[in-house]
Amino acid sequence: MKFSQYFLPTLKEVPSDAVIPSHILMLRSGMIRQLTAGVYSYLPFGLRVFRKVEKVVREEMNAIGGSEFHLPALSPNELWAETGRLEDYGDDIFRIKNRDLVLAPTHEEVFTSIAKPNLISYKNLPQIWYQIQTKFRNEPRPRGGVLRGRQFLMKDAYSFDATWEGLDVSYEKNAQAYRNIFIRCGLKFFTVSAFSGAMGGSESEEFMVEAEAGEDTVVISSDNKYASNLEVAVSFSENIGRKNTGLTCEEFHTPNIKSIDELAGFLKITNKSRLAKSRLFIVPSKVPDKQDLYILALVCGDDEFSESKLANMYSGIRPAHPDELLEIAGADAGSIGPVNFKNKDVKIIADLRLKEADELISGACKNDFHLKNIDLKRDVPGIEYMDLRTVKDGEKTITGDATLRMAKAIEVGHIFKLGTRYAEALNAKYLDINGKENVIIMGSYGIGIERIAAAYIEQNFDKDGIIWGGEIAPFQIHLISVNKKTDNIKITAGELYSKLKEKGFEVLFDDRDDISPGVKFKDADLIGVPLQLVVSEKNMKNNEIELKFRRTGERKMIKIDEILDKINEIYVQIK
């Protein structure tokens, strides 16, 4: 491609609305332009990169037997209502007014609706179906360029199996395909156990790239044997234990005390572990006329709740609203606790650190009052225990063998064992070998196309620009012709351009006549093609061409009549 014919609008200045490296460099290198908040136009240079990513993804999905589809972005409300996700997604989903349609952020429902009338026998299973399609998310605060947008390109795949063992096989096939994809794209990645969220399912993993610009917080062990999303991470946390003093619960006045910090200050204590922090949650009933489930959750005052851990156990769970607190618990936030609860039909769950603890202080379920000497074993019959706390930086792993650290990371892929949730909701069943009807078992597997490119840039840039490599480099060679005071330079560069293309190389030829050498070199470093070849009057006096390796900055001279013989070897080395 000749630069003079190519639309590649580079920018000298850093755009004011861009703050992370990938966003800045995608704009400066002419890959994208913002149309409106969270919506980007892909310019030719960026589109080349995204198409390279798609090619890798498509090849690896085909290699595991995937069949490619292309489904509509629009889907009917009733399909989403059948699985309950129309309500689960809430305002995060784009809705088409007066048309009862949504712009899909994912396609479980649509793929399942195709499977239902077609995968009716065990002989039709297993299947892996996928597409590369534009998705939509009503992101309230778009940020980070293509990392958090309202419109994005995604590969979503779905497996359909007859057995749970079959799901395990399909899941591992897709997991291996993902590892192959990220390696081929040149990413340094790791996997973490993850929260399934609105997708549902029994198990999920995220593929992460560590980067300061990441929007996710992950927990990584010092021995690299454990990694998890913070939402579901676990650590070793010592039980606060019992004092066995047998003290009786006592109510005391705590005027205007609304938080654990205020309570600790009021009591003039620094250790907050026996100040039980109480939160009320509601699991809305999906059965008409059946009461919602109320859950009071407790953690130590020096810990933070992990709502995701509760959500993994109870689908659809949400915090109680202020008016609901008063009605259900008998008090406002800051004054509720596990004893004297107004509504007796409430499930009480405490964090493992609090197991059978005594001498606790918590709300009295009466505004401006707290209780001391609460004994969970004695005073809260039926209490259950589970891991409810958020892991802290520097804590030990569950085994105690390593230390945990927090890191920012970009999610580039997410895989789920969905199980039967969607097939049950849409009544997608098959007949087994004995003619018995069974629900199809599903998995779901997503990859962000632009996210891969952005994550690559976050890991591969310097002060001058992007450093492309691997299989997603937009071009392999950047040929630069400078000092064209004679036709000889122009002719030599043009002939070399043609011969390199004949050898199968993707070449960007900077043949611009009205641009200074300095600007050409700056543009070359900014857009980051792996290998630069410079044809100049100075070098041609010695019948040589200058090579520059973008990643290392190393330069070397090579005879022009040797370049075509050695270029393959040179490129293999840098690839």
Side-chain angles (χ1 to χ4, degrees):
M1 179 63 68
K2 292 184 177 180
F3 212 126
S4 61
Q5 299 171 338
Y6 195 48
F7 183 67
L8 211 172
T10 59
L11 301 175
K12 293 180 181 179
E13 302 298 326
V14 176
S16 59
D17 60 337
V19 295
I20 67 172
S22 59
H23 190 192
I24 292 168
L25 291 171
M26 279 186 165
L27 290 168
R28 287 196 58 216
S29 67
M31 291 180 67
I32 61 173
R33 287 294 183 268
Q34 181 172 301
L35 178 62
T36 188
V39 181
Y40 289 87
S41 299
Y42 303 153
L43 306 190
F45 190 65
L47 189 60
R48 283 185 73 93
V49 174
F50 302 146
R51 290 288 183 257
K52 293 286 187 74
V53 176
E54 286 183 36
K55 179 177 181 291
V56 172
V57 170
R58 188 171 278 112
E59 287 175 357
E60 292 297 335
M61 291 306 300
N62 291 344
I64 62 170
S67 298
E68 185 172 4
F69 288 61
H70 188 83
L71 303 184
L74 288 168
S75 55
N77 283 359
E78 60 262 27
L79 193 59
W80 286 73
E82 284 187 67
T83 61
R85 290 209 298 175
L86 191 64
E87 182 178 336
D88 289 348
Y89 266 94
D91 292 336
D92 287 344
I93 197 168
F94 280 107
R95 302 166 192 257
I96 310 300
K97 291 184 178 179
N98 304 319
R99 288 291 183 272
D100 294 326
L101 296 169
V102 300
L103 285 170
T106 183
H107 275 77
E108 280 77 9
E109 284 82 357
V110 182
F111 268 104
T112 307
S113 73
I114 296 173
K116 178 180 177 179
N118 291 289
L119 303 183
I120 57 176
S121 167
Y122 72 96
K123 296 178 181 179
N124 305 128
L125 302 170
Q127 292 280 327
I128 295 176
W129 296 350
Y130 79 96
Q131 67 168 343
I132 299 174
Q133 167 68 300
T134 302
K135 310 289 187 181
F136 302 87
R137 175 179 54 217
N138 190 16
E139 174 59 51
R141 291 176 298 278
R143 59 194 180 277
V146 299
L147 287 178
R148 178 57 66 176
R150 289 174 170 153
Q151 177 176 317
F152 51 97
L153 198 59
M154 180 174 151
K155 187 283 300 178
D156 51 323
Y158 306 87
S159 61
F160 303 88
D161 284 280
T163 66
W164 293 99
E165 293 79 12
L167 171 61
D168 292 341
V169 172
S170 295
Y171 187 86
E172 181 50 38
K173 279 185 178 180
N174 280 273
Q176 185 58 53
Y178 276 36
R179 291 190 282 269
N180 295 344
I181 288 165
F182 299 132
I183 289 169
R184 290 178 62 184
C185 289
L187 294 182
K188 298 173 185 175
F189 69 95
F190 58 94
T191 59
V192 300
S193 54
F195 172 51
S196 297
M199 296 289 289
S202 62
E203 184 178 342
S204 73
E205 288 177 275
E206 290 173 322
F207 291 79
M208 299 293 230
V209 169
E210 187 171 350
E212 282 299 316
E215 58 191 357
D216 288 303
T217 301
V218 296
V219 178
I220 305 169
S221 66
S222 55
D223 59 5
N224 292 320
K225 292 181 179 179
Y226 176 77
S228 175
N229 195 298
L230 180 62
E231 293 177 316
V232 294
V234 295
S235 66
F236 173 76
S237 51
E238 197 167 346
N239 189 299
I240 67 170
R242 293 182 60 82
K243 295 189 176 183
N244 289 314
T245 52
L247 296 173
T248 305
C249 277
E250 292 183 33
E251 183 180 280
F252 62 102
H253 191 215
T254 50
N256 299 314
I257 301 299
K258 303 297 182 184
S259 70
I260 290 293
D261 288 342
E262 289 173 348
L263 181 60
F266 179 80
L267 298 173
K268 295 181 173 56
I269 61 174
T270 56
N271 186 344
K272 304 174 188 175
S273 60
R274 291 188 183 270
L275 306 182
K277 190 183 296 183
S278 304
R279 291 275 302 278
L280 181 65
F281 296 89
I282 297 177
V283 183
S285 172
K286 294 184 179 181
V287 179
D289 301 324
K290 186 174 180 180
Q291 181 177 305
D292 297 339
L293 174 63
Y294 305 135
I295 297 176
L296 182 72
L298 306 173
V299 297
C300 292
D302 51 2
D303 286 329
E304 294 299 327
F305 277 107
S306 173
E307 292 186 23
S308 301
K309 291 179 179 178
L310 264 181
N312 268 337
M313 296 291 295
Y314 299 96
S315 177
I317 196 167
R318 65 168 177 82
H321 302 313
D323 58 325
E324 294 171 321
L325 277 176
L326 199 57
E327 179 184 346
I328 299 167
D332 295 319
S335 296
I336 65 173
V339 181
N340 298 332
F341 216 77
K342 178 180 179 182
N343 189 317
K344 302 302 180 183
D345 191 16
V346 60
K347 179 185 283 291
I348 299 178
I349 303 175
D351 181 67
L352 295 173
R353 283 191 70 200
L354 289 169
K355 190 168 184 178
E356 298 187 347
D358 59 1
E359 285 202 32
L360 300 180
I361 297 175
S362 193
C365 290
K366 177 180 175 182
N367 281 343
D368 295 332
F369 284 87
H370 279 72
L371 286 176
K372 62 181 178 179
N373 303 327
I374 298 172
D375 184 336
L376 295 182
K377 186 177 180 180
R378 178 192 66 196
D379 302 324
V380 190
I383 189 170
E384 298 178 10
Y385 299 94
M386 65 175 283
D387 179 25
L388 290 176
R389 63 189 291 275
T390 300
V391 168
K392 298 174 185 175
D393 190 57
E395 291 182 336
K396 293 291 186 181
T397 56
I398 284 289
T399 60
D401 296 332
T403 302
L404 298 174
R405 69 178 177 90
M406 307 292 185
K408 290 293 185 180
I410 298 168
E411 177 196 327
V412 289
H414 202 162
I415 60 178
F416 304 81
K417 288 184 179 179
L418 295 178
T420 58
R421 172 184 174 180
Y422 296 90
E424 280 183 344
L426 298 174
N427 200 32
K429 298 179 179 180
Y430 73 95
L431 295 178
D432 65 19
I433 195 169
N434 299 313
K436 182 181 177 181
E437 198 172 60
N438 297 273
V439 178
I440 295 172
I441 301 169
M442 293 175 57
S444 176
Y445 317 91
I447 270 184
I449 301 299
E450 306 103 326
R451 276 177 166 258
I452 289 177
Y456 178 90
I457 293 171
E458 291 290 336
Q459 291 188 326
N460 296 273
F461 72 95
D462 61 15
K463 62 181 179 59
D464 297 315
I466 305 170
I467 304 172
W468 290 112
E471 296 187 42
I472 65 172
F475 294 93
Q476 296 167 304
I477 297 172
H478 192 153
L479 178 62
I480 304 168
S481 176
V482 299
N483 296 336
K484 292 189 197 171
K485 295 180 180 177
T486 66
D487 288 339
N488 184 38
I489 303 300
K490 189 172 187 177
I491 292 169
T492 300
E495 289 176 348
L496 182 56
Y497 171 61
S498 297
K499 290 175 181 177
L500 287 169
K501 287 205 303 176
E502 287 173 7
K503 287 180 74 70
F505 284 97
E506 296 174 301
V507 185
L508 177 62
F509 177 23
D510 195 341
D511 62 333
R512 294 175 292 177
D513 290 324
D514 55 345
I515 301 297
S516 71
V519 171
K520 288 188 176 186
F521 293 145
K522 282 187 177 296
D523 277 348
D525 284 344
L526 172 61
I527 64 181
V529 175
L531 181 63
Q532 299 172 17
L533 300 182
V534 182
V535 181
S536 69
E537 195 167 46
K538 176 184 177 182
N539 296 334
M540 283 297 294
K541 289 178 180 178
N542 298 317
N543 198 33
E544 291 179 328
I545 290 178
E546 183 181 38
L547 281 67
K548 178 182 174 182
F549 301 95
R550 175 65 184 91
R551 183 169 297 278
T552 64
E554 178 190 357
R555 300 172 186 267
K556 63 193 307 185
M557 306 303 295
I558 187 169
K559 295 294 182 182
I560 192 167
D561 54 0
E562 296 177 356
I563 186 68
L564 294 175
D565 293 329
K566 294 185 176 181
I567 191 66
N568 280 322
E569 179 185 347
I570 292 169
Y571 195 77
V572 167
Q573 289 175 1
I574 64 172
K575 186 178 179 182

